[in-house]
Amino acid sequence: MATNKVDYARKARMHLSKADPVLARIIAEVGPLGIQPRRERFQALARAIIFQQLAGAAANAIYGRFVGLFPDAEFPTPEQVLAKTDAELRAVGLSEKKALYIKDLAAHIRDGKLNFHLFHRMTDEEIIEHLVMVKGIGRWTAEMFLMFNLGRPDVMPADDLGVQNAIRRHYKMRQRPNRKRLLKHAERWRPYRTAAAWYLWRSLDIVLPDGSAKAPTKNLAKRKK
């Protein structure tokens, strides 16, 4: 269940509005920062694996059937997942690779190779390095976990197409910025690049990686026509 909004929300709005007039206009139109850190850890990463390369309806159906394999739990533990056979996981619609990835994630947690309790001592990059050791988890998934589950304030998902498209549109670039150019552009937003990315997603009415969506404001909607 979602908790209160991130504690850096007000400072982020003030800093970004002062540092960047383009972002200041977006912030004024979108409104308060709406990131709500989620407590899920194993569940969030398993869900991310299931949703990879799938349309929302299909992914939701498979996710529901996966959770349904464990009727006595709101969500299974790593040990419960590892107790299932590959055939049982495949039967709910998981591909062979995704069944392997979820079991690999569960094994990393069970064996202590991925210890969420240590993350508060680690930098963003150290956490990313740990997460990408799991099969099926890439940098983007790790960044979304930092932003929406750990509440880290200064993550810039520079490979995200939504962020790239928003920057291209609002800053009138001829092409989508590549990773290097985007990171250079985003330096002005430190130490609240997470908030900047959230506002850029909202400015194009993009369904966010945490699954939430919001209709654009009247001003933003008019500009898109």
Side-chain angles (χ1 to χ4, degrees):
M1 181 179 294
T3 60
N4 293 330
K5 291 181 175 61
V6 289
D7 57 10
Y8 62 82
R10 183 172 179 274
K11 289 182 178 178
R13 289 185 68 188
M14 292 176 63
H15 171 78
L16 295 173
S17 296
K18 184 177 180 180
D20 188 332
V22 174
L23 207 53
R25 171 176 50 77
I26 295 172
I27 289 170
E29 294 171 340
V30 172
L33 182 68
I35 297 177
Q36 297 178 312
R38 298 172 181 270
R39 296 178 60 86
E40 297 90 350
R41 300 295 185 256
F42 174 49
Q43 180 177 355
L45 293 171
R47 185 179 186 276
I49 289 172
I50 291 172
F51 273 66
Q52 287 172 4
Q53 300 177 327
L54 284 176
N60 272 315
I62 294 172
Y63 178 76
R65 291 196 296 268
F66 169 75
V67 175
L69 283 173
F70 310 92
D72 296 328
E74 183 175 343
F75 192 83
T77 64
E79 290 77 13
Q80 287 174 319
V81 170
L82 290 168
K84 295 295 183 183
T85 65
D86 291 349
E88 287 175 305
L89 296 179
R90 293 286 306 280
V92 300
L94 290 174
S95 67
E96 183 177 355
K97 283 187 176 180
K98 288 187 179 182
L100 171 65
Y101 295 162
I102 290 176
K103 279 197 165 184
D104 190 56
L105 170 63
H108 270 78
I109 298 170
R110 179 198 61 190
D111 298 340
K113 295 178 182 177
L114 191 61
N115 188 337
F116 300 122
H117 298 295
L118 300 180
F119 279 9
H120 70 283
R121 305 177 187 173
M122 299 165 67
T123 66
D124 294 347
E125 283 300 320
E126 288 171 340
I127 293 172
I128 290 172
E129 288 176 8
H130 274 71
L131 290 173
V132 299
M133 291 190 300
V134 178
K135 295 175 182 177
I137 295 180
R139 184 178 183 90
W140 183 87
T141 299
E143 289 170 340
M144 296 305 106
F145 185 79
L146 285 167
M147 296 170 74
F148 292 104
N149 292 85
L150 298 185
R152 295 292 177 104
D154 196 36
V155 180
M156 176 45 60
D159 297 312
D160 184 272
L161 290 179
V163 172
Q164 292 175 0
N165 285 330
I167 289 177
R168 179 188 179 187
R169 172 177 292 188
H170 294 298
Y171 296 87
K172 304 186 187 308
M173 298 181 181
R174 290 187 177 182
Q175 303 176 23
R176 283 202 318 263
N178 59 24
R179 179 178 181 83
K180 182 177 180 181
R181 186 181 182 189
L182 194 156
L183 287 173
K184 183 178 180 180
H185 182 89
E187 279 298 308
R188 73 191 78 178
W189 302 331
R190 285 182 181 274
Y192 299 111
R193 292 180 298 173
T194 294
W198 186 89
Y199 277 111
L200 289 167
W201 278 319
R202 284 299 195 207
S203 74
L204 297 187
D205 194 30
I206 293 170
V207 176
L208 300 188
D210 68 346
S212 60
K214 175 184 176 183
T217 64
K218 293 181 180 179
N219 290 338
L220 287 171
K222 289 179 181 178
R223 186 178 302 116
K224 288 166 68 178
K225 291 181 180 179

